[in-house]
Amino acid sequence: MYFAALLARTEDGWEASDTELDDVETLSDLADLAREASTDDDTVLVLLEQEDAWFGVVRVDGEDDPRIYVSDAAAAARSSYGEILLTDELLGREPGDDGTDLDSLDLDGTEDGEPASAGHDDEEEESSSSETITHGPLGDGEILDDLGVGAKELRALDAEDALSAIAEALGASEVLETVR
């Protein structure tokens, strides 16, 4: 079960709206959705959670690049919405690197007649590349510093009640609860 909400800062405080992510396929799509919720290029937070597994915060300030924090990168990697947040840049990969580098493949012409044990090496490589995503936080831990939630506090939040705790620190818990 997923929950996603937008919190847009306005002159009158925070405004919340729930959001459907069905049409969101990339971080750019998500940032555009956030920008649409803001009238004056104010701060917009996209809060995402997957039931007790992980949470994520995307911060969009005007036309600046979105800033991202994910509480558990490995859990988010197994989620369709989490994959949107885990960009190549955030994971420290070159853009467009999907893990298959044709230059690094050992194509010596013996592929058709290789012994069965050769496939085992490929499996080990595949599992080691999937293990490169850590169990733990990833991204900009200082994403909410100026809003009253420091990096240490953010890392200490439990996925079960993180969004409520963030909203409370922002003074937006009532507006968030209206869209829950």
Side-chain angles (χ1 to χ4, degrees), residues 21-30 80-81 83-85:
L21 300 179
D22 294 342
D23 296 331
V24 174
E25 295 180 7
T26 66
L27 180 61
S28 185
D29 293 343
L30 189 60
S80 58
Y81 295 127
E83 288 178 346
I84 293 169
L85 305 183

Side-chain angles (χ1 to χ4, degrees), residues 4-40:
L6 296 174
L7 284 179
R9 186 164 46 178
T10 67
E11 290 177 6
D12 301 325
W14 291 95
E15 290 182 5
S17 58
D18 61 341
T19 186
E20 285 295 322
L21 300 179
D22 294 342
D23 296 331
V24 174
E25 295 180 7
T26 66
L27 180 61
S28 185
D29 293 343
L30 189 60
D32 290 343
L33 184 68
R35 287 184 184 105
E36 289 172 10
S38 173
T39 55
D40 297 324

Side-chain angles (χ1 to χ4, degrees), residues 61-98:
D61 293 301
E63 291 299 316
D64 292 348
D65 287 340
R67 296 168 59 193
I68 305 165
Y69 176 83
V70 177
S71 67
D72 185 335
R78 294 186 299 271
S79 154
S80 58
Y81 295 127
E83 288 178 346
I84 293 169
L85 305 183
L86 298 176
T87 63
D88 288 337
E89 182 180 342
L90 193 65
L91 294 171
R93 297 188 302 215
E94 290 295 317
D97 181 10
D98 62 0

Side-chain angles (χ1 to χ4, degrees), residues 134-146:
T134 62
H135 281 281
L138 186 64
D140 185 352
E142 299 173 353
I143 192 169
L144 301 173
D145 268 359
D146 63 326

Side-chain angles (χ1 to χ4, degrees), residues 90-135:
L90 193 65
L91 294 171
R93 297 188 302 215
E94 290 295 317
D97 181 10
D98 62 0
T100 305
D101 181 5
L102 295 178
D103 294 332
S104 70
L105 293 176
D106 183 19
L107 301 176
D108 60 3
T110 62
E111 290 76 30
D112 291 336
E114 288 184 44
S117 65
H120 179 70
D121 293 339
D122 293 339
E123 290 171 15
E124 285 179 13
E125 277 183 33
E126 187 176 307
S127 68
S128 69
S129 68
S130 68
E131 292 171 8
T132 59
I133 299 178
T134 62
H135 281 281

